């Protein structure tokens, strides 16, 4: 496994999860999505729908709707608590996060081939001491990484199925987004598309 440092605190671990573990996780996600279906979030204020569909696992699920961005303990449509974070995601966090407490949110983003995600920062958490750890599955995507300001320079790199990336330290609040998905680039998901799983710590652990 290689690791590339593209900016201080940004870590890219290509091929972190092998093909068999990816397939096992997809099977697990199929059951998870039956319990907590994907829904289409909307932008605060404008109410414009996201092109990405989302759901969550963990004690804290990230939501966006007209009332704003926030974390909530229940699925907005079913009213049920979010399912548990898949064990393999807990393991990835334990291996790479370098943080004494576990993740509380596993945001699950589904990108159809035409979906994208505009530049944003992950900044709805109580603590930024913990990193953001994300795993890509399925079709490759063009990821854009900026710095701490919206209009600063950016660079792009392709994220492939099984790749892990980490925003930590000085890069924890870096702007980032997905410019496009490269449809047909992976056969992991039978109907194509891309899944991104993002792990975050939401609350500040005692003692931090
Ligand atoms: C996100 O920033 O929420 C998603 C990033 C990705 O899809 O890789
Ligand atoms: Fe993000």
């Amino acid at each position: 496994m290689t690791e590339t440092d593209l900016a201080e605190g940004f870590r890219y671990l290509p091929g972190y999860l092998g093909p068999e573990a990816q397939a096992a996780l997809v099977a697990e996600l199929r059951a998870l999505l039956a319990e907590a279906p994907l829904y289409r979030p909307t932008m605060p204020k404008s109410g414009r729908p996201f092109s990405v569909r989302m759901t969550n696992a963990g004690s804290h699920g990230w939501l966006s709707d007209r009332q704003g961005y926030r974390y909530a303990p229940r699925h907005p449509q079913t009213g049920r608590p979010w399912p548990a974070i898949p064990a393999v995601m807990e393991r990835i966090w334990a291996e790479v996060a370098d943080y004494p407490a576990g993740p509380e949110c596993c945001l699950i983003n589904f990108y159809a081939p035409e979906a994208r995600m505009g530049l944003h920062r992950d900044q709805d958490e109580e603590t930024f001491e913990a990193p953001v750890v994300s795993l890509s599955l399925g079709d490759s995507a063009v990821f854009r990484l900026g710095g701490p300001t919206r209009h600063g320079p950016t660079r792009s790199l392709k994220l492939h199925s099984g790749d892990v990336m980490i925003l930590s330290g000085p890069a924890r609040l870096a702007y980032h987004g997905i410019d496009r998905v490269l449809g047909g680039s992976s056969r992991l998901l039978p109907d194509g598309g891309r899944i991104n799983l993002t792990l975050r710590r939401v609350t500040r652990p005692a003692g931090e």
Side-chain angles (χ1 to χ4, degrees):
M1 190 186 63
T2 57
E3 174 167 344
T4 316
D5 278 298
L6 293 161
E8 202 192 342
F10 176 80
R11 294 166 63 204
Y12 172 51
L13 283 58
Y16 192 88
L17 203 62
E20 285 179 15
Q22 292 175 41
L25 178 53
V26 169
E28 197 175 335
L29 289 174
R30 217 175 290 286
L32 190 152
L33 295 181
E35 168 71 19
L38 290 166
Y39 58 90
R40 195 177 293 280
T42 53
M43 290 296 289
K45 296 188 194 118
S46 73
R48 203 158 58 89
F50 283 37
S51 59
V52 175
R53 290 187 295 150
M54 294 183 176
T55 191
N56 290 272
S59 56
H60 293 63
W62 186 84
L63 298 182
S64 175
D65 59 22
R66 280 185 186 274
Q67 293 156 50
Y69 302 142
R70 65 191 176 284
Y71 283 96
R74 289 169 184 276
H75 190 290
Q77 290 175 349
T78 69
R80 288 196 294 266
W82 306 105
I85 296 177
V88 67
M89 298 306 296
E90 295 273 5
R91 173 170 71 79
I92 291 173
W93 177 274
E95 290 168 353
V96 307
D98 191 23
Y99 187 74
E104 293 173 310
C105 175
C106 180
L107 173 64
I108 300 167
N109 291 314
F110 178 77
Y111 296 75
E114 69 282 359
R116 54 185 293 283
M117 187 174 292
L119 270 190
H120 67 277
R121 304 201 290 181
D122 291 11
Q123 58 182 0
D124 301 315
E125 299 72 39
E126 278 175 24
T127 176
F128 303 126
E129 295 295 314
V132 171
V133 174
S134 95
L135 170 73
S136 294
L137 292 174
D139 284 341
S140 302
V142 180
F143 176 76
R144 184 162 296 281
L145 177 69
T149 58
R150 177 173 288 282
H151 299 291
T154 64
R155 70 185 81 196
S156 81
L157 79 151
K158 275 184 196 151
L159 296 178
H160 304 289
S161 197
D163 293 356
V164 164
M165 68 111 198
I166 302 162
L167 297 173
S168 66
R172 172 60 181 78
L173 289 169
Y175 277 86
H176 60 277
I178 293 289
D179 288 350
R180 63 198 163 93
V181 172
L182 306 172
S185 53
S186 161
R187 287 192 291 181
L188 181 69
L189 306 175
D191 298 325
R194 170 175 186 265
I195 297 174
N196 168 263
L197 298 108
T198 294
L199 297 170
R200 304 189 194 117
R201 179 78 196 180
V202 180
T203 66
R204 193 182 292 275
E208 182 182 282

